[in-house]
Structure formats: C-alpha cells, structure tokens
Amino acid sequence: MSATRLYGPAMAFHRKQLRVPAPAVAAGRHVKRYHVNLDGSEIDQTRQEAAYAFLPGLLPRPDGTPAATFTVLHETANGIFLNAYSWYWDNVLYCRTAAAGIPFLGCPDEDYTHWVELAEPLIGCVWELPPIEHERSAWIRHVLRPDEPDLGAYLADLLPEGPIG
C-alpha cells in the first residue's frame, strides 16, 4: 500500500540551490534573506517584490530583542513559499509562513505574486531548514554569548550560497 501524495507522484529527494541576496530592512527589522530553487537562478524580480511587500505582515511587534529576521523564499514547481523567522524574547524564533500559487493551501489562484499567510503551523521543508541551523548558531555567537550583542556581526554572518538540502 502506498501513501497518498498531495502533489502527485512520489517526489525524489534532490539537492536544490541556495542564493543569498543582500540583507534588507522591513518594518524596522533587519532581514537576512535566503532564496532556494532547483537551479540556483535568480527568482523572478516581480515574485520577489510581491513576497517582500507581503513580509511586514509576518513580522512580530517589537519586544526589545534586537530587531532581526531571516527569511527563506523558496520557489518550487508547485508554488512559492516565504518563511519569516524573527528573533523574539531574546532567544525564541518567531515563525510565520506565507505562500503564493498553491490553491490547496488557500492561495486565491496559481499566481506566484498573490500571497496569503498560511494557517497551517508549518516551519519549513527539508530545503528550508538549513538556514535555521546556521542562524541559530550565528545568533548565539554574535548576540547571546558576548557581553554586548553585536547585531552587525550577526547580520554579516550568512550561510554560504550553493547546494542545499
């Protein structure tokens, strides 16, 4: 007996490519950005602009923690995801996710620029999780462990581009 799959035939695991655009600022928060897709090409600019315009609605209210977020923008054959991970309560990762182009998840259509926040408590797929591991270590190294937090060093500490998964 085989398991039912949401996206059709079985999905073989394969490495994807990670790109690391320059950090940005959204709603007063510093944002480290990671992009994932199959071939490592630049994600279409219109799709990026739509994603980052939607991002402020995924961010937490200020709480005194250094205002830092990292995102994973993951373009797949079935849609596109934006995961926003924000540091909160000093050492907690606040996560909200959004998608475009996937009606199954509540998107209005298959357009990769029509974003909706996901109600499902998803934190990321196997290709979206490596940045979490890196960012956890970087947060400890640069913000939690030193006597004085060094947000600039944290923002400069990026997971290298290349194969991911």
Side-chain angles (χ1 to χ4, degrees), residues 19-40:
R19 291 181 59 94
V20 185
V25 175
R29 295 185 73 84
H30 299 277
V31 180
K32 294 168 73 171
R33 302 181 300 161
Y34 295 103
H35 290 181
V36 175
N37 65 9
L38 187 57
D39 64 5

Side-chain angles (χ1 to χ4, degrees), residues 58-97:
L58 301 176
L59 302 175
R61 60 178 164 47
D63 73 336
T65 302
T69 293
F70 63 96
T71 61
V72 179
L73 183 62
H74 182 185
E75 185 176 51
T76 74
N78 302 325
I80 191 167
F81 296 89
L82 176 63
N83 302 339
Y85 306 100
S86 299
W87 291 106
Y88 201 65
W89 293 337
D90 294 329
N91 60 10
V92 173
L93 204 52
Y94 177 102
C95 176
R96 291 175 72 188
T97 59

Side-chain angles (χ1 to χ4, degrees), residues 6-7 80-81 98-99 102-108 116-120 122:
L6 300 177
Y7 294 116
I80 191 167
F81 296 89
I102 310 170
F104 172 80
L105 292 176
C107 299
V116 297
E117 184 175 355
L118 298 181
E120 297 290 330
L122 308 176

Side-chain angles (χ1 to χ4, degrees), residues 103-126:
F104 172 80
L105 292 176
C107 299
D109 52 38
E110 294 182 355
D111 187 317
Y112 281 31
T113 64
H114 295 164
W115 288 91
V116 297
E117 184 175 355
L118 298 181
E120 297 290 330
L122 308 176
I123 63 164
C125 73
V126 296

